[in-house]
Amino acid sequence: GESVGLHLPTLSVQEGDNSIINCAYSNSASDYFIWYKQESGKGPQFIIDIRSNMDKRQGQRVTVLLNKTVKHLSLQIAATQPGDSAVYFCAENESGRGGADGLTFGKGTHLIIQP
Amino acid sequence: DSGVTQTPKHLITATGQRVTLRCSPRSGDLSVYWYQQSLDQGLQFLIQYYNGEERAKGNILERFSAQQFPDLHSELNLSSLELGDSALYFCASSPRLGGSTDTQYFGPGTRLTVL
């Protein structure tokens, strides 16, 4: 079946640097993409989303980029802080499935912040 | 805090037993989703309910079932438990039917251990 996957299982960055987490998806019909952050012992926390009619969306310290041509999604975190340490998941959905459906998640990238 | 609550937080049981996990969605949300997170399978969508009715099924085993009650809380029933059912079970909710117009917010999860 179709799936969403991440390029790197672990990413280590220095505190204060920018982080870039990548995600490849395979379902060309996907039109909604979300980034979630999961801290140890907690549920996934919504960070930012983007729809397929956009290629960039910015939030507070985060930016999501979508390249539909190569089916690639990235999450940029500016000025990474210790509290950003977590596993980051990309997820996708396809509104053509009648709106009702669950998200398809990637395997996750563990972001480690070095002091 | 996402506003989604799940009980219990931890559950330890034996093979062959049956357990019930409970979820209360965010106030006003009509859709409830159940996900399973395991080390080998990652985060997988199980089932969705919308306003009391089943709307979508994912990788849910026949031994598992769910329902959504008139007050919109949901229960996930897992029966004839096997060792491989040990996992984190998350509930998520969204205001409407889902898809690209609806952000899913996750609860803190229930950690199920089958011995």
Side-chain angles (χ1 to χ4, degrees):
Chain A
E2 292 161 326
S3 64
V4 180
L6 295 178
H7 290 303
L8 298 173
T10 301
L11 177 64
S12 183
V13 300
Q14 293 287 326
E15 183 179 347
D17 287 352
N18 296 334
S19 303
I20 300 176
I21 302 172
N22 295 303
C23 176
Y25 64 94
S26 57
N27 182 5
S28 56
S30 295
D31 56 3
Y32 179 51
F33 304 88
I34 315 100
W35 282 99
Y36 284 92
K37 170 187 179 183
Q38 187 176 23
E39 297 174 278
S40 181
K42 297 184 178 181
Q45 175 189 353
F46 172 84
I47 302 174
I48 192 167
D49 60 5
I50 188 168
R51 291 173 176 77
S52 58
N53 60 351
M54 303 172 69
D55 53 20
K56 180 180 180 178
R57 191 167 188 220
Q58 289 185 293
Q60 187 177 10
R61 281 201 310 119
V62 295
T63 300
V64 55
L65 299 177
L66 174 63
N67 186 330
K68 295 180 287 294
T69 302
V70 295
K71 290 186 283 188
H72 183 269
L73 190 68
S74 69
L75 176 70
Q76 300 178 2
I77 305 173
T80 312
Q81 302 170 356
D84 295 328
S85 290
V87 176
Y88 289 80
F89 293 95
C90 62
E92 60 91 5
N93 205 341
E94 177 191 336
S95 60
R97 293 197 285 252
D101 212 334
L103 298 171
T104 300
F105 279 85
K107 295 196 181 299
T109 292
H110 187 191
L111 179 63
I112 298 171
I113 312 303
Q114 304 283 358
Chain B
D1 184 0
S2 67
V4 179
T5 60
Q6 291 186 248
T7 57
K9 191 171 179 60
H10 301 279
L11 198 49
I12 302 175
T13 188
T15 55
Q17 295 298 305
R18 173 189 169 95
V19 297
T20 298
L21 313 183
R22 183 187 168 104
C23 167
S24 292
R26 296 187 319 157
S27 177
D29 284 1
L30 298 178
S31 275
V32 169
Y33 310 77
W34 287 98
Y35 291 83
Q36 180 193 60
Q37 186 175 36
S38 61
L39 286 176
D40 55 343
Q41 296 293 325
L43 261 164
Q44 289 205 315
F45 167 66
L46 297 179
I47 196 165
Q48 177 197 5
Y49 276 79
Y50 172 75
N51 205 20
E53 293 187 1
E54 181 186 307
R55 293 296 299 188
K57 270 188 172 181
N59 298 319
I60 188 166
L61 300 172
E62 286 191 7
R63 300 183 285 108
F64 296 0
S65 65
Q67 54 185 327
Q68 186 179 27
F69 295 86
D71 67 353
L72 300 177
H73 90 271
S74 177
E75 293 181 353
L76 179 67
N77 301 297
L78 315 176
S79 61
S80 302
L81 285 168
E82 302 175 359
L83 296 177
D85 297 327
S86 295
L88 278 164
Y89 291 85
F90 289 104
C91 168
S93 73
S94 70
R96 296 167 294 275
L97 190 59
S100 63
T101 60
D102 235 20
T103 301
Q104 294 182 29
Y105 294 91
F106 283 74
T110 293
R111 180 176 292 280
L112 173 66
T113 302
V114 182
L115 300 175

